[in-house]
């Protein structure tokens, strides 16, 4: 699956269960219509109408001759034309269960938990046993030649009960992992030192309880932080390293806690290296606590224009209705905010809207009383979206240097939503606004350039940064 870069948030507007599955030709026509009407970069990206119309005609013809199993390849040929990392089409497989079951209804694993606990202590299998993280205690039982089933033993989460299947592993290091709402997430896993099971993209970790008593809890925590890519480390008497692998919403609190726990050490460090390589973005909130430590002056933020379309209105309306159904009193302020937005969208249908009514906003962030004198940020082609936004802000500081390679270049069109476009067998992600940097200062497919380019002969980037600083 290709890397996805997200800025600020992704709101799924495709909340209905699969009811309307399209054949390939129908799906192609509907995706074309959706993008032509809802993609804020459409006019800019299709100035050469001859090339665009020729490709569209060719792909429509191919879609009419393609069976549904291979249709996704044809649809991706169309979406890839726009060269936008925030446009994403994929089969709607998230809800396909490992075994047949009703949507969002947990599948039970037929096993006596008491008997399992008694017998599993004698197992020599590296996976079979009782595993635990901060949310779940699970049992892992071998259920095939290379397959294992993880099931709930205990949890405080009311959505899960004992014997509910939480995940299934296979010998190819693939994992089918059920999320909190019991929808399915396909991921990969790694087993470290036979005691730490790490679900890669979800950054979910389980500790083998058969071995836990022999381990140092601090060492376990440190190992997990290094694997997940969220840690602070003193490198020399002068320089320290702050590693942050993602700005996604689930990690905001974790990043805030990391900064808070190490604030004194960061402030006392003469030099700070911030490694955000392969950070695909998430939310600007994730780096809010870092900025006071690295800025030297107010930051200029360029505004955005949102494209108001019927597709956006329909999706936001559906989201608002969902909040009303859940708890209209608790969500009252959010519902009112959405009502105001829907009204503005309807009044400006088909137009670009600057909701802030400003082209540039000056952000006067209160600087930390004590902070590093010199800051290096390490970037590569895996840095995208809100992580690129962080780099743009950091570059305005007089004490920050960017080292590495150009970033991914996925920041011109952002704020991505999953649009419901009439084919429930596919999901379509589209950005909803464009940056007012355009057309003078494009970043898409170019990236943010480093101050110092690190070519392939530089093996250890962190060591290079230390040598550069010291």
């Amino acid at each position: 699956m290709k890397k996805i870069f997200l800025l600020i948030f992704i709101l799924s507007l495709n909340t209905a269960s699969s009811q309307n599955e399209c054949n390939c030709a129908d799906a192609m026509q509907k995706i074309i219509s959706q993008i032509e009407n809802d993609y804020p970069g459409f006019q800019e990206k299709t100035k050469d109408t001859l090339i665009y119309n020729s490709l569209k005609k060719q792909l429509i013809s191919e879609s009419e001759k393609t069976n549904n199993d291979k249709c996704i390849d044809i649809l991706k040929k169309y979406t890839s034309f726009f060269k936008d990392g925030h446009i994403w089409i994929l089969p709607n497989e998230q809800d396909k269960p490992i075994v047949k079951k009703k949507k969002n209804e947990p599948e039970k694993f037929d096993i006596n938990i008491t008997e399992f606990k008694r017998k599993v202590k004698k197992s020599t299998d590296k996976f079979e046993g009782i595993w635990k993280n901060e949310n779940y205690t699970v049992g892992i039982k071998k259920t095939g030649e290379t397959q294992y089933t993880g099931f709930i033993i205990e949890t405080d989460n009311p959505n899960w009960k004992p014997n509910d299947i939480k995940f299934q592993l296979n010998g190819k290091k693939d994992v089918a992992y059920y999320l909190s709402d019991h929808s399915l997430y396909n991921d990969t896993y790694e087993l470290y030192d036979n005691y730490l099971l790490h679900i890669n993209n979800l950054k979910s970790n389980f500790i083998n309880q058969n071995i836990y008593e022999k381990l140092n809890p601090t060492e376990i925590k440190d190992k997990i932080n290094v694997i997940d890519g969220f840690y602070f480390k003193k490198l020399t008497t002068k320089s320290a390293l702050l590693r942050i692998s993602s700005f996604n919403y689930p990690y905001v609190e974790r990043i805030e806690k990391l900064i808070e726990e190490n604030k004194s050490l960061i402030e006392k460090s003469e030099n700070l290296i911030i490694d955000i390589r392969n950070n695909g973005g998430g939310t600007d909130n994730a780096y809010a606590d870092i900025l006071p430590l690295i800025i030297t002056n107010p930051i200029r933020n360029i505004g955005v224009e949102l494209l108001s379309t019927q597709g956006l209105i329909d999706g936001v309306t559906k989201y608002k209705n969902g909040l009303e159904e859940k708890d209209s009193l608790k969500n009252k302020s959010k519902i009112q905010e959405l009502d105001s937005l829907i009204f503005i969208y309807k009044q400006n249908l088909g137009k670009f809207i600057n909701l802030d009514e400003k082209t540039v906003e000056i952000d006067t962030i209160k600087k930390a009383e004590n902070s590093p004198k010199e800051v290096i940020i390490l970037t590569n082609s895996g840095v995208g979206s809100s992580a690129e936004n962080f780099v743009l802000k950091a570059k305005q500081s007089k004490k920050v240097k960017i080292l590495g390679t150009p970033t991914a270049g996925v920041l011109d069109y952002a704020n991505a939503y999953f649009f419901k476009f009439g084919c429930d067998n596919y999901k379509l992600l589209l950005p909803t606004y464009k940056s007012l940097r355009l057309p003078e200062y494009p970043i898409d497919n170019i990236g943010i350039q480093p101050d110092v380019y690190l070519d392939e002969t530089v093996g250890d980037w962190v060591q290079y940064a230390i040598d550069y600083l010291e």
Side-chain angles (χ1 to χ4, degrees), residues 145-158:
E145 187 175 346
T146 60
Q147 180 173 287
Y148 295 83
T149 297
F151 59 94
I152 298 293
I153 292 179
E154 291 179 6
T155 181
D156 292 330
N157 188 332

Side-chain angles (χ1 to χ4, degrees), residues 446-465:
I446 299 170
I448 301 169
Q449 306 303 301
D451 297 306
V452 179
Y453 169 64
L454 300 186
D455 61 81
E456 60 184 13
T457 65
V458 180
D460 189 336
W461 286 19
V462 173
Q463 186 59 53
Y464 185 97

Side-chain angles (χ1 to χ4, degrees), residues 52 69 98 102 107 186 241 265 283 306 346 402 468:
Y52 172 71
D69 292 339
I98 302 170
K102 295 179 181 178
E107 178 67 21
N186 295 310
L241 172 69
L265 289 172
T283 168
L306 183 143
K346 287 181 176 179
I402 311 300
Y468 182 93

Side-chain angles (χ1 to χ4, degrees), residues 361-390:
E361 181 178 350
I362 308 300
D363 195 355
T364 306
I365 299 170
K366 185 179 180 181
K367 295 186 289 184
E369 292 183 10
N370 300 300
S371 62
K373 294 179 181 178
E374 301 289 341
V375 178
I376 277 179
I377 298 176
L378 297 178
T379 67
N380 66 359
S381 61
V383 173
S385 201
S386 64
E388 290 180 295
N389 214 26
F390 169 67

Side-chain angles (χ1 to χ4, degrees), residues 3 5 277-278 379-384 388 405-410 461:
K3 183 89 170 175
F5 299 102
R277 283 176 289 176
N278 298 316
T379 67
N380 66 359
S381 61
V383 173
E388 290 180 295
T405 59
T407 59
V410 281
W461 286 19

Side-chain angles (χ1 to χ4, degrees), residues 33-51:
S33 176
Q34 191 80 48
I35 288 180
E36 289 184 347
N37 285 287
D38 290 83
Y39 176 43
F42 179 75
Q43 295 298 328
E44 181 67 27
K45 299 289 183 78
T46 58
K47 285 182 177 179
D48 193 327
T49 56
L50 183 63
I51 291 178

